[in-house]
Amino acid sequence: MPPELRRSVRSYVIRAGRTTAAQQRALTESWPRFGLDFAPEPLDLERVFGRRAPRMIEIGFGAGEALLAFASEHPEVDCLGIEVHPPGVGHLLLGAEAADLHNLRVIAHDAVEVLAQQIPPAAIDIVHIFFPDPWPKKRHHKRRLIQPEFVALLARVMAPGGTLRLATDWEPYAHHMREVLGASSAFRARTADGFVPRPSVRPLTRFERRGQRLGHGVWDLEYERIGV
Ligand SMILES: C[S@@+](CC[C@H](N)C(=O)[O-])C[C@H]1O[C@@H](n2cnc3c(N)ncnc32)[C@H](O)[C@@H]1O
C-alpha cells in the first residue's frame, strides 16, 4: 500500500459484538453471491453487477436496514455497502438472501481504503452515510469519518451531479460536517444551510425512534457533487 494511505487513525473500533449462528452461515454461504473481497485495485463495476446502471454506496451501514430498504425499493440502482462490523455484514447478508436482491454487493473493509483504491473515479451517483460514529471527545475528533481528506475521496468516486446524504444525531458533528463540506469546492449544499428534512430513503430505525422518545434531535444534510 502506498505510504500516504497507510493509516494509524481509524474511524472505527471493531467491537466484540456476537455474530449469531445464522449470520455466520450467511457470511460463509452467501459471501460468494453478495461479497466482494477487498483488493487494492479498481473494481470493474459493470462486470460485478452485469450491467451499466446508476450506482449508490452506503458507508457504515450498521445492520443494513436502510441499505436493504433502498436496494429493494430501487431495483434500477446497483448498490454497494461498505461496513467493517462482521455481525452487521452477516445481518445484511441474511436480508439480501431473504429479499433475493440482485442489485446489492458488500465489501467488509475500511471505507477509506475502499474509496481510495477499489472504486473507480466518477463511478458512483449516490452516497449515503447515516449516523457515522460521532467521536464526541475532542481528542477523538480526528477519528471522525467526515474530514477534508475523506471528502476528497468522496469527490473522486462520485459522478458530477451525484447526491451525498448524511445524517447524525450529534449536533456538533452536524456543524462539523457542514464546515468540512462547505470548504470543499467539489460539493454544493442542496439547501441554503445544507440541512434537509429526513429523506424518504432513510427509514426510521429502532435506534432513531428511541432517540425521538428521549427528545434527541437528528440532522440530515444533502450535497451535490458539482459538475466539472
Ligand atoms: C454509529 S454506527 C451507524 C450504523 C448505521 N448507519 C445506522 O444508522 O444504524 C456507524 C457504523 O459505521 C461503521 N464504520 C465506521 N467507520 C467505518 C469505516 N471506515 N469503514 C466502514 N465502516 C465504518 C461502524 O462499524 C458502524 O457500524
Side-chain angles (χ1 to χ4, degrees):
M1 187 188 301
E4 69 275 13
L5 290 175
R6 221 172 281 142
R7 304 164 64 229
S8 52
V9 179
R10 298 201 181 272
S11 58
Y12 57 90
V13 279
I14 301 280
R15 288 162 286 140
R18 203 173 77 87
T19 306
T20 64
Q23 289 165 357
Q24 193 52 59
R25 185 203 51 74
L27 284 166
T28 311
E29 287 179 12
S30 280
W31 189 255
R33 176 171 173 197
F34 297 107
L36 299 172
D37 292 322
F38 174 74
E41 57 200 41
L43 281 165
D44 179 346
L45 290 170
E46 266 186 63
R47 198 181 56 76
V48 164
F49 288 100
R51 63 176 181 175
R52 176 69 185 97
R55 300 184 189 113
M56 77 81 78
I57 286 185
E58 182 168 343
I59 294 169
F61 57 75
E65 231 172 319
L67 182 54
L68 285 171
F70 186 91
S72 304
E73 286 160 23
H74 298 86
E76 76 288 1
V77 180
D78 288 334
C79 303
L80 184 59
I82 308 175
E83 172 58 71
V84 289
H85 190 51
V89 175
H91 194 266
L92 179 89
L93 292 177
L94 285 172
E97 282 174 0
D100 192 23
L101 293 175
H102 295 273
N103 61 334
L104 178 64
R105 298 292 184 282
V106 188
I107 303 181
H109 195 82
D110 186 342
V112 174
E113 291 176 8
V114 174
L115 292 192
Q117 301 183 65
Q118 221 173 359
I119 307 298
I124 308 300
D125 303 286
I126 302 168
V127 175
H128 291 171
I129 310 177
F130 297 151
F131 305 102
D133 298 287
W135 294 108
K137 291 183 182 152
K138 194 160 199 281
R139 69 173 192 280
H140 287 151
H141 284 182
K142 56 181 180 293
R143 304 190 69 153
R144 287 176 171 170
L145 200 52
I146 307 302
Q147 307 281 0
E149 299 75 18
F150 186 73
V151 168
L153 291 179
L154 290 173
R156 190 187 77 81
V157 302
M158 287 181 68
T163 297
L164 169 64
R165 296 193 179 95
L166 304 163
T168 180
D169 58 351
W170 185 249
E171 189 171 8
Y173 197 12
H175 294 298
H176 171 86
M177 288 172 172
R178 283 186 61 218
E179 266 169 43
V180 174
L181 268 304
S184 167
S185 56
F187 289 94
R188 172 170 53 215
R190 281 260 163 79
T191 56
D193 59 3
F195 293 116
V196 293
R198 186 169 68 84
S200 58
V201 293
R202 192 172 68 69
L204 198 57
T205 59
R206 202 169 51 171
F207 163 79
E208 195 176 343
R209 244 178 250 121
R210 180 174 168 274
Q212 281 181 342
R213 279 199 303 275
L214 295 169
H216 299 169
V218 170
W219 292 264
D220 281 283
L221 298 106
E222 195 167 308
Y223 290 83
E224 178 183 333
R225 171 74 173 97
I226 296 170
V228 277

